[in-house]
Amino acid sequence: MKVSIIGSGYVGSVSAACFAELGHEVICIDVDEEKVKMINAGRAPIWEEGLDELLMKHSQKSLIATSDYDYAVQNSDVSFICVGTPSGEDGSIDLAIVKAASASLGAAIGKKDGYHVVVVKSTVVPETTEKVVLPIVEEFSGKRAGRDFGVAMNPEFLREGKAVYDFMHPDKIVVGAIDERSGFVVAELYRGLECAVTRTNPRTAEMIKYVNNSFLATKISFANEVGNICKHLGIDTYEVMDAVGTDFRIERRFLNCGAGFGGSCFPKDVKALIGKAKGMGYEPQLLGSVVAVNDHQPLKMVELLQRKTGHIRNKRIAILGLAFKNDTDDIRESRSIPVIAELLRLGADIAAYDPMAAGNMKKVFSNITYCTTSSEALSGADGCLIMTEWEEFGKLDSEFKGMADRVVIDGRHMLRPDQLKTKIDYEGICW
Ligand code: UDX
């Protein structure tokens, strides 16, 4: 089938490359000419495992990029809206980019003979596809949904760093369509994948995405709340969750307590769902607590450090890990950000190390030292906070010898102090 993809961020570029890999002809549409050039040169505009290889394989064959909406719509049957949906000031969703893309798509569909399907893949709160996207496409195309063009919502469940794998090995494919015809066309696109397609209506598909992410975020905040209780009791929360996680109704995954969740999805999606509920006059208490626990959790790292080192002013503190999780350079909503801000407020001298994300964090904090190795960050440090679950941090040992005072607060359960040759003053945030 011929597919056009609007937006070449991580959802758009991964979906484009994977649809090409499934044998479809793909046209990427992006207003950013730089990204268009990169994709046409077989280079990914974002880092994702396996993405460059797929783009190299399909670029200029079954996959091209353009900023010309008319060309793309004329030469495709289905268009996916994969643009960003950032948070507004109050945490509610900002649909400005989705509206702009819907208008451009509508204008292009207006000039096309024949049926076309509009699919929302961006994460949008329930009712957005039917009450925002559909009317805009009708207005700018002068055509009628259901008769002249189809509309559907097809959420993604891609993890950063594993997005290509997740796309090609889904545990669910959700297609919420306004009618049978639109739903059938979108479901057909995934024929090459071994996964059942859940067919429903657009707002249910939108809600499935939010509930999926909000439940995972709730699992993590629950694990952190239990972790904070266990901490007072001197109990290792991981031991507790290993046992609890054997219950088939609970499942062990996403019960790793620590410094909290970050990223471009969980914080934003939970807040957007809260905003949507409040907008309808419902106060979502549980989701509110999920965010509150997550906002406070990273600051416990600083509290534990202060308990060990006393005042922090002019002390050299090593921060190991800036990315919101391992295997990505993404720092969005990283739990390191509130920790660094608090340490700076307390007058600390920070030396930070991250295998990939220092470049992005420099745009947020220009007044801290960025090191190229853990050793360099630990050298002469009066304390260390482990903030991201990079595998290499689990292998640290002799590097701690360079510290002035070997106080180590672990926010990601990376170290086993009893197995280290180097003696350190170790503390786990929840164990
Ligand atoms: C997430 C969802 O997993 C994915 O399905 C969705 O499409 C987008 O959002 P991602 O944001 O890439 O993906 O990150 P994920 O791997 O889920 O981790 C999210 C955060 O939770 C990270 O900060 C991670 O450190 C933290 N986390 C994860 C925990 O604190 N404990 C856990 O047990 C698991």
Side-chain angles (χ1 to χ4, degrees), residues 189-364:
L189 285 167
Y190 292 97
R191 178 174 280 282
L193 296 175
E194 278 164 35
C195 178
V197 175
T198 302
R199 298 278 300 271
T200 181
N201 57 56
R203 69 186 60 186
T204 304
E206 290 155 341
M207 194 59 175
I208 289 170
K209 170 67 186 196
Y210 277 92
V211 172
N212 204 90
N213 274 359
S214 299
F215 183 70
L216 291 171
T218 304
K219 263 187 115 171
I220 297 168
S221 279
F222 174 78
N224 288 336
E225 179 117 290
V226 168
N228 297 338
I229 299 168
C230 285
K231 181 74 186 169
H232 287 284
L233 293 162
I235 295 171
D236 180 345
T237 318
Y238 275 69
E239 213 178 325
V240 172
M241 291 307 183
D242 289 349
V244 168
T246 59
D247 187 319
F248 73 93
R249 296 163 298 179
I250 299 175
E251 236 280 335
R252 174 64 180 80
R253 277 177 285 198
F254 277 67
L255 285 175
N256 292 341
C257 58
F261 59 78
S264 59
C265 299
F266 287 174
K268 170 175 76 78
D269 294 351
V270 177
K271 287 174 189 160
L273 187 55
I274 291 171
K276 179 73 184 177
K278 284 186 174 170
M280 299 183 299
Y282 177 77
E283 183 65 37
Q285 292 168 330
L286 179 61
L287 294 175
S289 305
V290 169
V291 173
V293 169
N294 200 57
D295 285 348
H296 187 248
Q297 197 63 12
L299 300 177
K300 293 182 79 64
M301 296 288 288
V302 180
E303 288 161 19
L304 288 171
L305 180 68
Q306 283 177 300
R307 227 176 282 156
K308 292 247 179 216
T309 64
H311 75 82
I312 292 204
R313 183 161 298 288
N314 301 326
K315 290 230 168 111
R316 179 182 167 92
I317 305 299
I319 299 285
L320 299 183
L322 300 170
F324 82 93
K325 68 173 188 177
N326 55 318
D327 299 341
T328 179
D329 61 356
D330 196 340
I331 60 160
R332 285 176 288 182
E333 299 280 344
S334 167
R335 300 296 80 195
S336 302
I337 295 172
V339 164
I340 292 171
E342 178 65 2
L343 288 172
L344 287 173
R345 190 184 69 75
L346 294 166
D349 161 23
I350 296 173
Y353 165 67
D354 188 285
M356 286 175 79
N360 287 331
M361 194 58 91
K362 279 178 186 159
K363 299 169 194 155
V364 181

Side-chain angles (χ1 to χ4, degrees), residues 394-402 406 415-426:
K395 300 188 183 104
L396 294 172
D397 194 337
S398 60
E399 291 83 352
F400 295 118
K401 286 194 179 122
R406 299 179 190 166
L415 296 173
R416 304 292 173 275
D418 50 345
Q419 291 161 20
L420 295 181
K421 294 193 189 64
T422 313
K423 185 132 183 40
I424 59 174
D425 183 356
Y426 177 87

